[in-house]
Each structure stands twice: as C-alpha cells, then as structure tokens.
Amino acid sequence: MSLCLSFNAFTVHSPKSQTHKTRFSSLFINQIQVKPAPFTSKSIPFNVERFKLVKALATKPVQTAVSASFRNKNPKDINVLVVGSTGYIGKFVVKELINRGFNVIAIARERSGIRGKNSKEDTLSDLNGANVCFSDVTNLDILENSVKNLGFPIDVVVSCLASRTGGVKDSWKIDYEATKNSLVAGKNFGASHFVLLSAICVQKPLLEFQRAKLKFEAELMEEAEGDDGFTYSIVRPTAFFKSLGGQVDLVKDGKPYVMFGDGKLCACKPISEQDLASFIADCVLKEDKINQILPIGGPGKALTPLEQGEMLFKLVGKEPKFLKVPIGIMDFAIGILDFLVKIFPSMEDAAEFGKIGRYYAAESMLILDPETGEYSAEKTPSYGTDTLEEFFARVLREGMAGQELGEQSIF
C-alpha cells in the first residue's frame, strides 16, 4: 500500500479503495512481441514484454488534446510527477517547480539519502510544498498503484533518477528499469510529456550506466515518434559543481591538488544544481525544448583540472602545488581488475568503478563533435549565472555540507 502526503498542508491522505480508471489505460497492452532494443545487459534478467508501450490509434485524438491542454493551463493546474526527487539534483528540481507554481508530486523512498539515512520526516521537510508520495520506482506494480491512488491524472513526468553507485546491476536497475517504470506509470495515468535528466557523457558510452541511459533514451524517442500526442525533453548536463569539490579541503589544508597527466587531458563547463534545476523546469512548458536532446553546461569557459586547481590555490592564497598521476596507473589497475572478474564475478562492480574513474580522468564533459571526433567547448551550450569559482569560495567558507558524494564517490 502506498502513502501520499502533503506536508505543507499537514494532512495525510489515505489511498482510495476503489479502482481508479482512466481512459489512458487502454494505451497499454502487456503481451506483445517486439524487436529487442540495441543495448542489453546479461547481468539483469528482464521481462521485455511487461514494459513495452504500444500505441492505440483510436485514442490519439484524446492524447493530443491532453498534450495541448496541459500547456495551456496555469502552472498551478499542471500536475508534475517527479521521480528521483530526493536525489542531489532532484531536490532542487522539486523546489524550482514549486517556486514556479506547479502542482508537484514527489515520489520518494521511505528511507532516502546516502545509504538511506533520511527518514520520512526528513523527506517531508526537504520537499516542503510538494505532495510527497512514498513508493518504489523499481517495482512497476507498486508505482502504478501509488499513482492511481493520487486520484488525479498526471500531465508531466520529470525523471531525475540516477544509479546510486554506478555499479553494473544498479545502473540497469535505476537508469533503465526504474526510469522505464516511471514512463509506463506516468503515461498510463495521462502524462503526455517526459523530461529526462540524462548525462552528456552518454555520447561516448563505455560504461554500464551510460549504456543503460542510452537504451532508455532510445525507447523514449521511439515512443514519441509513434505518438503525436506524446513529447519528451532529454537534458544532458556536463559536470556538477559537487563532483569537482572533493579536493577543496585538501588544498585548504596545504596538500597538493591531485590530477592525471598534465591536468589538461579533459575539460568541462560545470553547472550548478540550481541552474540545472531551472533549465529542467524550463523543459516542462517551453515548446522549443520539445522532442529535443539538450546538452547543457554552465556559464564561462571550459575548465581543465589544471585550471580548476589553479583557481582553488588562488582562492586560498597559496602557491599552486600539484601531484601529477600518470593515467597509465589506472589502466594497469583496470587490467588487473578485469582479469580478476573472470575468476571472481562478484568483483564486477570494483572493475566498473575503476573504469568510471578512468573515464572521468580523461574524457571531457563537453559536446563531442561528430565531424572531428573531438570535444568542443564552443559547441557546448551555456546556461545560468553560477560559477565554479563562486562555488569553491562558498565551500571554503562553509564546507561541503549537503554536497557529499556518498555512494557515488569513487576515490
């Protein structure tokens, strides 16, 4: 049984006992043969037929009317379902949507946060102003029942789901399966637009979480291609501020800034959580973002690790001191882990974590130019006003409270 709460009203709504029927349920047929998707993961047994969406031609006029009508409504009358609402970016997205006046339904786990440290009360406080619905995005039946018990249709789904660890099984469970559950449940109860928080690094998919994200992206686009009344916006941000803040305290304490190679192997245009949340909220109503893949970075020039380190030392008023680590060390370690996985399959996540670290040490979080095969700072769009230098200065004053990497940390 699901439980949906509205914290700002201090009320508890019990699930309705009667079955909630909608005209949109006819859009879904569970048993149908389909062509397999291009990406697969043998690690995750998966019932494809259970999740396949089909289009019923007779209902297309209804869906088109829903799509048009929600964009003509006032924000207070638009029901936005947010999954991944307690995540690092998700919390900011929920707050931004509330500030813009939308009726926000935040799906959350009963225990959220790093290693489940946050209680229901913590979640209600963090998501004040939203209708908080405690459910399980990894279980389609539970999620659908939770959405049904809301008692009203959904207009838009915003997914901020992301694997907590980047491990092989967790990537497919969250970045693909749980995100697909959100699409199925949302569309089954009226959603005609889906905003997906993806990642710019899926352009060069060498990691499991990237393959999982790309598989869902492809199916989301396929769904829109076959249904004129359904749209999507895929947001692919560059690096987040918090992912670059791990060495602030080390530099502050006089230790060297660690970087791979000469510190110029890669670059990024980092974006703040608030600016990214604002961009995602733009995607709910702005028609120029409909059916688009939207790479996005923060303001200013692209920064290499060397430039980030120099910026930190300048802020603390110390002479730059760098520890340069040969990238070959990571290649050697990954080779050993890959060998050990053949003997000890349980080590597959350790090997994957090594590959993740290697990827971010050498690959830029910028648009990959298909013509040149090179990353392009010039072609990577900028958005927002928050700068990395301002973020570093704030962390130096206040620390990284609320910015912890937790289960996502590699080193």
Side-chain angles (χ1 to χ4, degrees):
M1 180 176 291
S2 62
L3 183 64
C4 298
L5 306 171
S6 177
F7 182 72
N8 56 332
F10 296 95
T11 58
V12 179
H13 303 287
S14 299
K16 294 184 178 180
S17 58
Q18 68 269 28
T19 302
H20 178 69
K21 298 180 180 179
T22 76
R23 60 181 178 239
F24 306 99
S25 60
S26 63
L27 296 177
F28 297 85
I29 301 174
N30 291 332
Q31 301 301 321
I32 182 169
Q33 294 295 324
V34 297
K35 181 174 70 174
F39 296 103
T40 61
S41 174
K42 295 181 181 179
S43 304
I44 306 296
F46 188 66
N47 185 344
V48 175
E49 295 179 356
R50 176 69 180 91
F51 287 79
K52 289 301 171 184
L53 297 165
V54 297
K55 278 65 65 179
L57 293 177
T59 63
K60 274 194 174 184
V62 174
Q63 280 201 304
T64 301
V66 170
S67 177
S69 63
F70 102 76
R71 289 192 172 92
N72 292 329
K73 293 179 182 177
N74 289 323
K76 66 182 180 62
D77 298 319
I78 298 176
N79 300 322
V80 182
L81 184 77
V82 181
V83 292
S85 63
T86 59
Y88 175 64
I89 299 299
K91 286 186 288 188
F92 286 92
V93 170
V94 168
K95 292 175 183 176
E96 181 66 22
L97 291 169
I98 291 171
N99 290 338
R100 296 191 186 197
F102 293 102
N103 181 39
V104 180
I105 304 96
I107 301 294
R109 293 172 290 157
E110 293 191 358
R111 301 292 303 187
S112 63
I114 299 172
R115 298 177 182 87
K117 70 177 183 179
N118 295 335
S119 65
K120 284 185 177 180
E121 291 73 22
D122 295 327
T123 299
L124 290 171
S125 178
D126 287 342
L127 304 179
N128 183 25
N131 300 295
V132 178
C133 186
F134 292 101
S135 188
D136 183 0
V137 292
T138 66
N139 186 306
L140 179 58
D141 291 332
I142 292 176
L143 181 59
E144 285 189 315
N145 189 57
S146 298
V147 178
K148 177 188 71 177
N149 287 331
L150 294 171
F152 50 80
I154 301 301
D155 295 302
V156 181
V157 177
V158 177
S159 174
C160 297
L161 291 169
S163 168
R164 290 177 291 274
T165 66
V168 176
K169 290 182 175 63
D170 196 57
S171 292
W172 286 95
K173 182 178 181 180
I174 304 301
D175 290 303
Y176 177 69
E177 289 187 29
T179 311
K180 186 65 174 285
N181 288 347
S182 305
L183 172 62
V184 174
K187 198 164 189 285
N188 199 23
F189 289 92
S192 54
H193 187 53
F194 194 100
V195 181
L196 173 67
L197 173 60
S198 185
I200 202 167
C201 61
V202 300
Q203 302 169 109
K204 191 175 181 180
L206 303 179
L207 307 169
E208 285 300 310
F209 83 86
Q210 296 165 340
R211 298 185 185 104
K213 285 181 182 294
L214 273 180
K215 179 174 172 62
F216 178 75
E217 282 190 11
E219 294 182 11
L220 178 62
M221 290 186 282
E222 182 181 354
E223 182 64 20
E225 288 174 2
D227 184 347
D228 292 337
F230 180 76
T231 57
Y232 66 86
S233 300
I234 296 174
V235 181
R236 291 180 175 178
T238 60
F240 304 153
F241 280 1
K242 81 164 184 177
S243 66
L244 305 178
Q247 298 194 62
V248 174
D249 286 340
L250 293 176
V251 171
K252 185 178 180 180
D253 293 339
K255 296 181 174 61
Y257 185 92
V258 181
M259 60 188 184
F260 289 94
D262 61 0
K264 300 178 182 179
L265 295 175
C266 59
C268 65
K269 295 176 73 172
I271 189 168
S272 73
E273 60 279 346
Q274 185 55 61
D275 283 342
L276 178 56
S278 178
F279 185 84
I280 291 172
D282 288 347
C283 294
V284 172
L285 288 179
K286 288 194 174 182
E287 296 190 4
D288 63 344
K289 292 177 172 52
I290 290 175
N291 293 347
Q292 299 289 322
I293 293 177
L294 303 161
I296 193 68
K301 67 185 292 288
L303 299 169
T304 64
L306 176 63
E307 290 170 318
Q308 296 166 32
E310 290 172 341
M311 181 185 295
L312 261 179
F313 283 110
K314 180 180 178 181
L315 287 170
V316 298
K318 295 182 179 180
E319 191 70 23
K321 183 169 54 175
F322 295 98
L323 176 60
K324 299 179 180 181
V325 180
I327 195 71
I329 290 178
M330 296 195 74
D331 294 331
F332 178 74
I334 291 169
I336 292 176
L337 289 170
D338 280 342
F339 172 76
L340 291 175
V341 166
K342 297 175 183 178
I343 305 171
F344 307 104
S346 61
M347 294 186 66
E348 67 174 358
D349 278 354
E352 188 69 10
F353 297 155
K355 293 172 185 175
I356 292 173
R358 170 52 165 95
Y359 190 100
Y360 287 119
E363 301 291 339
S364 292
M365 298 297 107
L366 301 168
I367 282 186
L368 186 61
D369 190 330
E371 296 181 0
T372 65
E374 301 291 332
Y375 291 105
S376 173
E378 292 73 23
K379 292 186 177 182
T380 305
S382 295
Y383 181 91
T385 59
D386 297 337
T387 67
L388 183 65
E389 185 172 8
E390 292 169 342
F391 170 76
F392 280 163
R394 186 171 70 249
V395 172
L396 285 169
R397 293 192 309 268
E398 305 171 6
M400 284 283 287
Q403 304 280 337
E404 299 88 355
L405 291 173
E407 293 170 284
Q408 295 175 328
S409 59
I410 301 300
F411 304 107

